[in-house]
Amino acid sequence: QKEVEQNSGPLSVPEGAIASLNCTYSDRVSQSFFWYRQYSGKSPELIMSIYSNGDKEDGRFTAQLNKASQYVSLLIRDSQPSDSATYLCAVKSNFGNEKLTFGTGTRLTIIP
Amino acid sequence: DTGVSQDPRHKITKRGQNVTFRCDPISEHNRLYWYRQTLGQGPEFLTYFQNEAQLEKSRLLSDRFSAERPKGSFSTLEIQRTEQGDSAMYLCASSHRLGSGELFFGEGSRLTVL
């Protein structure tokens, strides 16, 4: 079982709709969770972090965390063509290490 | 712009040669990370420095790989006796908050081993 699992996609969503991206993780001691966006040929950039169960909203983005189910998701409202990218889920244990473990990413395409 | 910079951006080498990549982090960041990314995969952790101390190394970092951060500023990643399996994007990232996981990545150094 991979430590961080994501559906690789591609996920196609019409412009203006809600894009829903999902991620599951295997290590129960994981404490910090991140969503990075990576445009084709570019490096990852952080868009959301979440540390507690529940929802965290930032503009059009909402991160959701359920530690009991070991599940984290990212919702993008009012999707725009500029949201087309690969979205990487990353998890971190707070217990003595700085390593981020990334999933393989979900490729999202917003259809105009 | 004072983001993370990496050099060279592209390197093509023959199998068996040594290569070295350099990373200059954001100036106020004392934490520096190296990751490797291959096509269709997420970044894989290689190593982490806090100031000049190398505090974590992945099992992926074989004895052919060595990283340094001699003065706690820039860092180098050297790969000796390169193999075709070393072909990847080598990403450097920096951070200013311990334990945050909020990394700022450079544009990467793409290595192609022929």
Side-chain angles (χ1 to χ4, degrees), chain B residues 68-105:
Chain B
E68 294 183 340
R69 195 182 181 196
K71 297 182 180 179
S73 56
F74 74 92
S75 175
T76 59
L77 176 69
E78 181 183 19
I79 308 174
Q80 296 182 326
R81 305 181 304 280
T82 52
E83 302 172 356
Q84 288 186 323
D86 297 331
S87 296
M89 178 72 83
Y90 289 85
L91 294 165
C92 178
S94 68
S95 174
H96 62 97
R97 287 178 54 199
L98 180 65
S100 74
E102 297 173 4
L103 305 183
F104 294 82
F105 283 90

Side-chain angles (χ1 to χ4, degrees), chain A residues 34 36 38 43 51 97-98 100 103, chain B residues 33 37 56 99-101 103 106:
Chain A
F34 307 89
Y36 283 78
Q38 187 170 27
S43 58
Y51 304 97
N97 70 72
E98 290 291 309
L100 272 187
Chain B
Y33 308 76
Q37 187 174 27
E56 286 183 61
S100 74
L103 305 183

Side-chain angles (χ1 to χ4, degrees), chain A residues 23-34 49-55 63-73 90-95:
Chain A
C23 171
T24 58
Y25 60 94
S26 61
D27 188 349
R28 288 194 170 272
V29 302
S30 298
Q31 294 291 320
S32 307
F33 306 87
F34 307 89
S49 58
I50 187 166
Y51 304 97
S52 304
N53 279 329
D55 295 0
Q64 300 175 316
L65 175 60
N66 184 326
K67 290 185 180 180
S69 300
Q70 296 176 238
Y71 177 91
V72 59
S73 65
V91 306
K92 180 182 173 303
S93 166
N94 284 351
F95 300 104

Side-chain angles (χ1 to χ4, degrees), chain B residues 25-93:
Chain B
I26 294 170
S27 58
E28 62 267 28
H29 289 184
N30 61 353
R31 292 165 183 86
L32 186 147
Y33 308 76
W34 286 98
Y35 282 80
R36 180 172 68 187
Q37 187 174 27
T38 54
L39 194 63
Q41 301 297 314
E44 293 178 297
F45 172 81
L46 293 178
T47 191
Y48 155 68
F49 290 85
Q50 183 172 326
N51 299 313
E52 66 276 8
Q54 188 174 21
L55 299 183
E56 286 183 61
K57 286 175 61 172
S58 166
R59 291 188 304 273
L60 293 173
L61 216 64
S62 75
D63 56 5
R64 297 186 298 106
F65 288 72
S66 61
E68 294 183 340
R69 195 182 181 196
K71 297 182 180 179
S73 56
F74 74 92
S75 175
T76 59
L77 176 69
E78 181 183 19
I79 308 174
Q80 296 182 326
R81 305 181 304 280
T82 52
E83 302 172 356
Q84 288 186 323
D86 297 331
S87 296
M89 178 72 83
Y90 289 85
L91 294 165
C92 178

